[in-house]
Amino acid sequence: MTETATTTEKLNKFEKFKAEKDGLAVKNEIENFAQIGWEAMDEDDLNHRLKWLGVFFRPVTPGKFMMRMRLPNGILTSNQMSALAEVVQRYGENGSADITTRQNIQLRGINIEDIPDIFNKFHKVGLTTIQSGMDNIRNITGDPVAGLDADEFYDTRELVQQIQDMLTNNGEGNPEFSNLPRKFNIAITGGRDNSVHAEINDLAFIPAFWGNKDQLPIFGFNVIVGGLFSAKRCEAAIPLNVWVSPAEVVLLCKVIVEIFRDHGLRANRQKARLMWLLDEWGIEKFRNEVEKRFGKSLLPAAAKDEIDWEKRDHVGIYKQKQPGFNYAGLNIPVGRLYADDMFEIARLAEVYGSGEIRFTVEQNIIIPNIPDSSLTTFFTEEILKRFAVNPGLLMRSLVSCTGAQFCNFALIETKNRALAMIKSLESELILSRPVRIHWTGCPNSCGQPQVADIGLMGTKVRKNGKMTEGVDIYMGGTVGKDAHLGTCVQKSIPCEDLQPVLREILIQNFGAKVREEALISH
Ligand code: SRM
Ligand code: SF4
């Protein structure tokens, strides 16, 4: 860390506890924590430092911890899925898992005394939770159909893995990057549809060809920086005016994360994300520093990027570039899984596919490599009734953050409410196109309401003199080609009054028609 970051600014309380003891230090104390129990732990270790190991104390369910994995490009094997299922299974009705909006998974209900054992289990199957929370780099997202999609420009899988390995020291933990000013999000897209929401990441790589009429175009990426959602501010990433070849991506990530680490603002935690540094420095100064550390001058951005499709949701059965093979996109309502579901998905991937499972940022699952000849039997699987390949047009695009069931920041319950509301709306309305509805329990925006057709952000509202759960409604988020963020269009709707409001929005703005049965019963 430089002089500027430490000495000329007043440190906030998070910077103080990090300076006293690095987050990663608890890696060597986990056996001790398991023995003494969470009640006897130091408060900063319990509430904060454990997150450097991907272990989250949940004040809503004290003693039942959450573990957040790292799954580069959202990919895991059926063996790994079974290992995760075994962990969740131990906790009976308290055990569950959630696919996240970063192509990742979180496990719930975990006792601290079991964590050393769970880490051993993860180690054996090549899984890590390291540095997945707090002031670290989050799960790195890549194209969910990388290597399967006949129309892709670049298979992002290896690059995403290399970036993770560099930043996390091959999943063992990397003290070089364990004290960032704040979280940091990285995404790479190699397809035509911006399947990772590149623009809402602190650093993202977008396919673009370098060259002019006289040269053969070379494939690489345009780089954008500074995207963020936070309670204080939401911004799409801005161009760094840099184009890099795939071989330069890992070094560029390293250099940019180092600059953020060394110069990112640390006085006010609300203003510590990369965009605030870009404001202070201006993009030119930032680009110069990137070039200086990169060790050579960087090419300016290619004139045009290659995002030219609407974003796909990958739910359904699709042909792969490998002749005779298909990938199946299963809709997992609000991303929630239980142990039996996880075992079942692992089995499906083994029996019908190649044992591979992928997650999407829409909290759904992809099972690749299913031969044409197996599809008919695949369709008869019981679990497809719950995790459909052809769900309703609202259900297929529904996304929800954790909400009040487990998250202490939440202002409202989200997942169960979202499911109930979509069910009722689908029973009342006939849709002719998917409508992407995203729920988020508070302004932190983990459920990304600003990228949705209809975004619902939890808030508290006053109704009949009483405080109750409500939402602010966002609209106009577009994804894929020409992505831009939606904005707040209606404030403070009590959740109990929300359904007719959504119904009207769906009719007026998205061409929904009222079902005849619903008209009769009204
Ligand atoms: Fe998030 C904090 C859940 C994606 C912005 N987020 C939290 C915590 C850790 C708060 C806490 O300790 O309780 C939540 C854990 C609740 C729980 O028990 O699950 C939480 N965030 C999630 C997940 C699980 C939502 C989901 O249901 O999918 C997502 C996990 C992704 C992962 O695998 O790593 C998740 N969070 C996001 C995203 C979306 C994204 O990355 O595309 C955002 C907005 C994008 C961004 O970060 O710029 C997001 N989360 C936040 C913020 C606001 C950040 C800020 O700069 O202020 C917080 C609060 C904070 O960090 O102080 C937060
Ligand atoms: Fe929790 Fe708020 Fe994030 Fe939802 S948006 S998971 S309520 S912090």
Side-chain angles (χ1 to χ4, degrees):
M1 209 184 302
T2 61
E3 285 270 300
T4 14
T6 52
T7 52
T8 60
E9 293 174 356
K10 211 169 128 258
L11 296 185
N12 66 57
K13 70 169 184 175
F14 289 80
E15 290 302 323
K16 280 196 191 125
F17 85 70
K18 289 190 290 179
E20 275 162 30
K21 174 177 156 190
D22 188 71
L24 265 187
V26 294
K27 196 174 175 219
N28 301 323
E29 297 175 65
I30 199 75
E31 294 276 355
N32 179 41
F33 297 156
Q35 265 165 28
I36 63 175
W38 65 271
E39 289 100 330
M41 281 176 66
D42 167 82
E43 285 214 355
D44 287 333
D45 288 346
L46 177 69
N47 292 312
H48 305 303
R49 292 193 192 93
L50 271 182
K51 293 180 183 169
W52 268 255
L53 307 184
V55 177
F56 291 60
F57 177 70
R58 300 290 71 201
V60 180
T61 56
K64 299 183 180 69
F65 287 77
M66 181 268 274
M67 286 179 98
R68 180 184 282 171
M69 311 306 299
R70 295 195 79 91
L71 293 177
N73 216 119
I75 301 179
L76 74 168
T77 64
S78 53
N79 270 350
Q80 292 173 329
M81 183 63 122
S82 300
L84 298 175
E86 282 163 21
V87 170
V88 169
Q89 191 178 40
R90 284 191 203 183
Y91 303 106
E93 61 182 19
N94 294 320
S96 63
D98 287 317
I99 304 172
T100 77
T101 51
R102 293 201 68 80
Q103 256 186 342
N104 194 8
I105 193 163
Q106 299 184 160
L107 312 183
R108 300 190 184 280
I110 290 156
N111 293 339
I112 194 139
E113 48 271 38
D114 301 334
I115 288 181
D117 187 31
I118 294 173
F119 278 149
N120 284 335
K121 196 180 184 69
F122 288 167
H123 199 74
K124 281 191 194 134
V125 294
L127 283 170
T128 182
T129 57
I130 203 80
Q131 288 173 271
S132 57
M134 279 298 283
D135 298 350
N136 290 290
I137 293 132
R138 294 291 182 276
N139 194 46
I140 301 162
T141 56
D143 229 291
V145 288
L148 311 174
D149 177 9
D151 295 299
E152 76 184 350
F153 293 104
Y154 193 82
D155 178 348
T156 54
R157 288 175 295 177
E158 207 177 305
L159 264 187
V160 172
Q161 183 71 54
Q162 284 171 2
I163 300 168
Q164 163 158 320
D165 289 347
M166 178 271 293
L167 292 169
T168 65
N169 180 27
N170 302 314
E172 294 298 315
N174 189 350
E176 282 278 297
F177 299 116
S178 63
N179 185 0
L180 303 181
R182 211 55 167 92
K183 74 189 300 197
F184 195 88
N185 292 326
I186 303 179
I188 311 187
T189 180
R192 295 166 187 266
D193 71 338
N194 189 10
S195 57
V196 292
H197 300 307
E199 68 288 353
I200 65 171
N201 286 266
D202 296 272
L203 167 60
F205 296 86
I206 295 175
F209 287 93
W210 180 260
N212 56 41
K213 310 198 268 316
D214 312 319
Q215 296 165 316
L216 217 60
I218 307 169
F219 179 77
F221 300 95
N222 279 345
V223 181
I224 57 173
V225 284
L228 85 157
F229 293 162
S230 72
K232 178 102 182 151
R233 180 179 186 190
C234 293
E235 298 281 355
I238 55 172
L240 179 60
N241 191 21
V242 163
W243 177 93
V244 282
S245 71
E248 294 170 318
V249 165
V250 178
L251 180 59
L252 195 78
C253 283
K254 181 165 184 281
V255 158
I256 289 179
V257 177
E258 280 173 359
I259 297 173
F260 179 55
R261 177 195 65 195
D262 297 346
H263 297 284
L265 312 181
R266 290 176 186 256
N268 178 351
R269 221 171 142 71
Q270 301 300 315
K271 298 185 175 180
R273 296 286 295 274
L274 181 65
M275 188 55 108
W276 296 93
L277 177 66
L278 297 174
D279 285 349
E280 193 162 298
W281 277 16
I283 198 76
E284 266 315 302
K285 176 173 171 185
F286 186 78
R287 193 186 185 284
N288 289 342
E289 183 64 21
V290 172
E291 237 173 22
K292 199 167 106 199
R293 294 193 183 217
F294 196 81
K296 67 170 200 187
S297 59
L298 288 157
L299 288 170
K304 142 181 184 313
D305 68 45
E306 298 299 328
I307 305 292
D308 51 8
W309 284 8
E310 293 306 315
K311 190 174 182 317
R312 295 167 294 175
D313 64 13
H314 307 294
V315 174
I317 306 287
Y318 298 92
K319 292 269 168 232
Q320 290 180 198
K321 71 173 167 197
Q322 296 80 6
F325 287 89
N326 307 273
Y327 65 86
L330 273 52
N331 173 238
I332 311 296
V334 294
R336 175 65 48 86
L337 295 168
Y338 296 94
D340 291 350
D341 303 330
M342 295 160 80
F343 283 123
E344 206 36 24
I345 285 158
R347 185 186 68 79
L348 289 192
E350 265 168 36
V351 171
Y352 296 97
S354 54
E356 187 177 303
I357 298 160
R358 300 183 179 199
F359 296 147
T360 70
V361 296
E362 286 84 18
Q363 303 173 320
N364 291 322
I365 281 181
I366 291 173
I367 300 180
N369 303 321
I370 306 179
D372 289 342
S373 57
S374 304
L375 280 177
T376 316
T377 342
F378 178 75
F379 289 134
T380 64
E381 287 288 350
E382 192 60 24
I383 199 165
L384 298 191
K385 290 191 180 133
R386 287 177 47 230
F387 299 151
V389 290
N390 56 351
L393 291 172
L394 295 179
M395 187 60 93
R396 77 182 282 143
S397 310
L398 180 64
V399 168
S400 172
C401 84
T402 306
Q405 191 182 2
F406 299 110
C407 179
N408 55 304
F409 287 124
L411 300 171
I412 63 167
E413 203 286 316
T414 51
K415 288 203 189 239
N416 293 319
R417 179 175 269 141
L419 278 178
M421 208 162 287
I422 291 302
K423 244 175 138 181
S424 315
L425 287 168
E426 283 190 345
S427 71
E428 278 187 87
L429 298 173
I430 301 172
L431 279 296
S432 53
R433 50 158 284 197
V435 181
R436 296 172 305 103
I437 301 183
H438 284 218
W439 286 73
T440 207
C442 80
N444 283 329
S445 299
C446 305
Q448 309 157 327
Q450 303 84 348
V451 303
D453 291 322
I454 305 175
L456 303 166
M457 182 186 288
T459 182
K460 293 284 186 216
V461 303
R462 189 171 286 281
K463 185 178 176 188
N464 302 331
K466 278 199 187 137
M467 291 312 275
T468 180
E469 298 196 349
V471 293
D472 293 340
I473 302 183
Y474 284 68
M475 283 180 68
T478 57
V479 291
K481 182 178 176 345
D482 303 327
H484 72 256
L485 304 183
T487 49
C488 184
V489 293
Q490 277 192 65
K491 282 185 97 70
S492 306
I493 319 284
C495 288
E496 59 196 53
D497 301 335
L498 181 60
Q499 191 173 320
V501 177
L502 288 181
R503 190 170 172 272
E504 215 33 47
I505 292 177
L506 288 166
I507 294 170
Q508 297 301 330
N509 300 64
F510 298 94
K513 301 262 181 299
V514 180
R515 283 184 196 276
E516 262 179 42
E517 315 87 87
L519 276 176
I520 294 160
S521 62
H522 263 280

